[in-house]
Amino acid sequence: MTTTQQQTEAPSPREPQRRRAPLTWRQRLGRLDVKLSPYLYIAPFWIVFAIVGLFPIVYTAVISFQDWDLVRNQGTLTGFDNFAFVLQDREFWMSLRNTFSIFLLSSVPQLIAATFIAAMLDKNIRAKTFWRMGVLLPYVVAPVAVALIFSNLFGDKYGLINTWLNDFGLPKIAWHVDVIPSHIAIATMVNFRWTGYNALILLAAMQAIPRDLYEAAAIDGAGAARRFFSVTLPQIRPTLIFVIITSTIGGLQVFDEPRMYDTRGNGGSNHQWETVTLYLYNEGWVNFNFGRAAAIAWILFLIIVAFGLLNFAITRRFIAGDAAPKKAKKKVKK
């Protein structure tokens, strides 16, 4: 075949391309399925969240600007009066102080203990499943049962701890009168319930760490402590940040333990262990002022959001600090 024949048989680029055959109904349905199926899979969660999560938040915001009557299910618009009353109320600031105190006394030791327990469970020990299930048992126990047991353990007169102190000739501690002892007792209850739960989350992150890293560190002469701080902690940092954020949210919303710490459930005679959520409960279901209770709920919501943004900023700084040396190393290599 000559070149002239090939040129005549070759299609000209100016000639219009052949039109594609129209898609069949099944092909169109298949493309639509690929595009919409991910949204359909996550739709049930968002529907449930909109009903039980988003709607109550918006509805609470509406009630917070009104003097709400639960019987008539309607209210009178009062503007920011509820927020102004709450922010000027001394009891609110006391409850906020108690909340932050209990949060610090519970979350910080809890995270340290959970990390240590997870590191021990990550070792090659016998009956791993037994010990892992054992640390989760306190989480299964009902909060009311935990509060009743620990409230008797920290009893002022006949509590077990004060009985031991009396046997050793030491003065008794007023667990239900003084501020700091009551916070320590409530924080102990919180730590008892949540330490094992957080330990299992951190354990799952530790098990995902490649064992080659530990072997390489051991060959380089790193001891157990150095391997933990140089290999384990950096590798589980994302999970650790997640645990810190969830512990922060849970610590600022603590309710069951202070509510059941005594028989009255109002946060103490002088509100010495009344938290913000307990103050919200008393304002709503004891004083039946649901407008102020809604305002307290929104103030607590904004505080939690502020702490979430603070954690996010700290997380970004940690990530930026880890990425900076890598960029510097690449520049040196070039």
Side-chain angles (χ1 to χ4, degrees):
M1 183 181 294
T2 62
T3 55
T4 55
Q5 291 178 346
Q6 291 178 354
Q7 290 177 357
T8 55
E9 292 180 1
S12 174
R14 294 182 179 180
E15 292 181 3
Q17 296 180 354
R18 295 181 180 178
R19 294 181 179 179
R20 295 182 180 179
L23 297 177
T24 63
W25 180 80
R26 289 182 177 274
Q27 290 174 338
R28 292 179 180 177
L29 186 62
R31 288 191 175 185
L32 190 64
D33 177 52
V34 172
K35 292 181 179 180
L36 296 182
S37 58
Y39 300 99
L40 294 177
Y41 294 148
I42 63 175
F45 166 79
W46 290 106
I47 293 173
V48 175
F49 172 74
I51 295 173
V52 304
L54 187 61
F55 173 74
I57 293 175
V58 176
Y59 194 61
T60 304
V62 174
I63 295 176
S64 64
F65 293 100
Q66 302 181 25
D67 184 11
W68 192 260
D69 188 356
L70 185 63
V71 177
R72 294 179 299 171
N73 198 24
Q74 62 183 2
T76 305
L77 185 64
T78 59
F80 289 92
D81 292 347
N82 292 325
F83 291 92
F85 177 86
V86 172
L87 294 177
Q88 294 175 1
D89 190 8
R90 181 174 175 270
E91 186 178 347
F92 167 74
W93 294 105
M94 289 180 61
S95 65
L96 190 63
R97 177 207 64 182
N98 298 336
T99 301
F100 280 108
S101 177
I102 295 172
F103 161 68
L104 293 175
L105 290 173
S106 60
S107 295
V108 176
Q110 179 187 139
L111 293 175
I112 296 174
T115 305
F116 176 77
I117 293 172
M120 293 299 102
L121 293 175
D122 193 39
K123 302 294 182 181
N124 190 15
I125 59 176
R126 296 181 179 180
K128 290 183 179 180
T129 305
F130 171 78
W131 296 113
R132 292 171 185 174
M133 293 298 297
V135 297
L136 193 61
L137 286 178
Y139 176 73
V140 180
V141 180
V144 176
V146 174
L148 290 175
I149 294 171
F150 276 84
S151 62
N152 292 321
L153 181 66
F154 291 99
D156 294 337
K157 293 183 179 180
Y158 305 106
L160 182 61
I161 295 178
N162 279 341
T163 302
W164 288 347
L165 293 176
N166 190 24
D167 293 339
F168 287 100
L170 299 175
K172 294 183 179 181
I173 301 175
W175 297 105
H176 288 75
V177 178
D178 297 336
V179 176
I180 298 301
S182 62
H183 293 181
I184 293 175
I186 295 173
T188 304
M189 291 187 255
V190 177
N191 292 335
F192 174 77
R193 286 195 63 219
W194 292 98
T195 301
Y197 175 83
N198 291 326
L200 288 184
I201 295 178
L202 295 174
L203 175 62
M206 290 180 184
Q207 289 183 329
I209 300 174
R211 299 301 159 178
D212 298 341
L213 298 177
Y214 291 107
E215 295 176 0
I219 293 173
D220 292 338
R226 183 60 183 275
R227 291 196 299 268
F228 176 77
F229 287 102
S230 299
V231 178
T232 304
L233 288 183
Q235 291 292 322
I236 67 169
R237 182 173 294 171
T239 306
L240 192 60
I241 292 171
F242 167 78
V243 172
I244 291 173
I245 293 175
T246 55
S247 299
T248 301
I249 296 173
L252 295 176
Q253 293 179 342
V254 59
F255 174 78
D256 295 330
E257 290 79 4
R259 169 70 177 169
M260 300 299 299
Y261 187 53
D262 65 350
T263 56
R264 296 181 180 179
N266 56 3
S269 57
N270 295 322
H271 308 286
Q272 58 266 34
W273 69 79
E274 182 184 29
T275 59
V276 176
T277 53
L278 190 56
Y279 173 59
L280 186 156
Y281 175 85
N282 291 333
E283 196 66 35
W285 294 104
V286 177
N287 300 329
F288 292 101
N289 197 323
F290 295 98
R292 292 177 185 173
I296 298 167
W298 257 90
I299 292 173
L300 179 60
F301 173 73
L302 294 177
I303 292 173
I304 293 174
V305 170
F307 268 84
L309 294 176
L310 180 63
N311 287 327
F312 178 72
I314 295 174
T315 303
R316 289 188 62 183
R317 178 164 295 184
F318 273 122
I319 295 174
D322 290 342
K326 294 180 180 179
K327 292 181 179 179
K329 290 180 180 178
K330 290 180 180 180
K331 290 181 180 179
V332 170
K333 290 180 179 180
K334 289 181 180 179

